[in-house]
Amino acid sequence: MSLHLRPGQALKLWHDSVLDLVHLDESGLTVRQLSILLTVYLELPPHTVRGVAQKLKVTKPVITRALDSLGRLELVARRRDPADKRNVLIQRTVKGALFVEKLGDFMVNRAQMLPS
Amino acid sequence: MSLHLRPGQALKLWHDSVLDLVHLDESGLTVRQLSILLTVYLELPPHTVRGVAQKLKVTKPVITRALDSLGRLELVARRRDPADKRNVLIQRTVKGALFVEKLGDFMVNRAQMLPS
DNA sequence: CTCGATTGTTACGCAACCGATATAGAGCAC
DNA sequence: GTGCTCTATATCGGTTGCGTAACAATCGAG
């Protein structure tokens, strides 16, 4: 089953949800950082710096810096890969899970409030 | 008619759309800037600095600076309100309209691609 | 064991953003 | 006109992000 959405609905949904995010936002998140966060929480582990960089089509230092920020906020955590110690595994945190969950709630609620 | 969305669907939709945005993004947009952009293009004019600041719950200098950036990218334009010259009216541009339209397309397409 | 390849991080110079405060211009009441 | 209010912008110091390039640690083939 595919979900049918008209452009006007889609844009309003995006607008409303982003507005909720901005209101929640104590953090000053970047679109890139948000993208990394969602990738880590929605796609299957393991997540490495290189892997995420490829997925977003950005350079590795961008990911490293974003992980610094997200780590400071305790939204993700870093761990060395014991199998290949060159790798860094990006891991989920309780705080990050709650944050992402809240994002989902925003969108679900805003979708329900959409006019026909 | 309200639109029903499960949390998992909503989050995936957000993730996919944001990913598209990051890929498109030559600009390094902030969540706040994105929020301003969508507000200007989705809500009824006129838009003033003060009005948008209230809507986003941020201070006016934040809006002024964001308009500097968005203006540099030609995504919005500024104009003095002839009726009350204290006001600045935030106006849409062709480039901005195309950008927002593309955002809508991203989301519509991603919604269609959602698994059941 | 050695050497090249791979991974993530750091360093550097630069630009943008932030919050807070101060300022300039315009309206409005009287 | 005189004050007072309102709007947006300018300015300040500090923080953060970016791209490029160099770097240390690790792996793996030979």
Side-chain angles (χ1 to χ4, degrees):
Chain A
M1 156 216 150
S2 69
L3 182 61
H4 286 281
L5 215 54
R6 288 196 309 275
Q9 288 179 314
L11 282 172
K12 177 154 179 44
L13 182 50
W14 202 334
H15 168 254
D16 293 346
S17 303
V18 167
L19 201 59
D20 284 337
L21 175 56
V22 171
H23 286 165
L24 169 68
D25 197 14
E26 316 108 18
S27 52
L29 238 50
T30 289
V31 174
R32 280 183 181 174
Q33 291 171 346
L34 179 61
S35 171
I36 295 172
L37 193 63
L38 289 172
T39 296
V40 169
Y41 280 85
L42 295 185
E43 305 203 347
L44 278 182
H47 300 286
T48 66
V49 172
R50 174 159 187 75
V52 175
Q54 281 178 333
K55 174 139 313 227
L56 301 203
K57 296 179 185 163
V58 297
T59 60
K60 288 185 291 177
V62 168
I63 306 298
T64 294
R65 282 185 294 250
L67 292 182
D68 290 342
S69 305
L70 294 173
R72 248 178 267 130
L73 298 168
E74 297 178 77
L75 296 178
V76 300
R78 270 190 271 218
R79 207 183 116 225
R80 277 282 164 197
D81 183 351
D84 183 341
K85 292 176 191 164
R86 290 174 301 181
N87 289 331
V88 160
L89 301 179
I90 309 170
Q91 299 193 303
R92 302 170 185 172
T93 65
V94 173
K95 203 167 171 183
L98 290 175
F99 183 87
V100 171
E101 188 185 339
K102 206 174 296 186
L103 253 54
D105 290 343
F106 284 162
M107 198 153 168
V108 170
N109 290 333
R110 291 302 198 165
Q112 277 179 350
M113 291 161 56
L114 276 183
S116 63
Chain B
M1 156 217 150
S2 69
L3 181 61
H4 286 282
L5 214 52
R6 287 196 308 275
Q9 288 178 315
L11 282 171
K12 177 154 179 45
L13 182 50
W14 202 333
H15 168 252
D16 293 346
S17 304
V18 167
L19 201 59
D20 284 338
L21 174 57
V22 171
H23 287 164
L24 169 68
D25 199 12
E26 319 105 18
S27 52
L29 238 50
T30 289
V31 173
R32 279 184 182 173
Q33 291 172 346
L34 179 62
S35 171
I36 294 173
L37 193 64
L38 289 173
T39 296
V40 169
Y41 280 86
L42 294 185
E43 305 203 347
L44 277 182
H47 301 286
T48 66
V49 172
R50 173 161 185 74
V52 176
Q54 281 179 333
K55 174 136 315 226
L56 300 203
K57 296 178 185 164
V58 297
T59 60
K60 288 184 287 178
V62 168
I63 305 297
T64 294
R65 281 186 294 251
L67 291 182
D68 290 342
S69 305
L70 294 174
R72 247 177 270 131
L73 298 169
E74 296 178 79
L75 296 178
V76 301
R78 270 190 272 218
R79 206 182 118 226
R80 276 282 163 198
D81 184 352
D84 184 341
K85 291 177 189 163
R86 290 175 301 180
N87 290 332
V88 160
L89 303 179
I90 309 170
Q91 300 192 304
R92 302 170 185 173
T93 65
V94 173
K95 203 167 171 183
L98 289 175
F99 183 87
V100 171
E101 187 184 339
K102 207 175 295 187
L103 253 54
D105 290 343
F106 285 162
M107 200 154 167
V108 170
N109 291 331
R110 291 303 199 166
Q112 278 178 352
M113 291 161 56
L114 276 184
S116 65

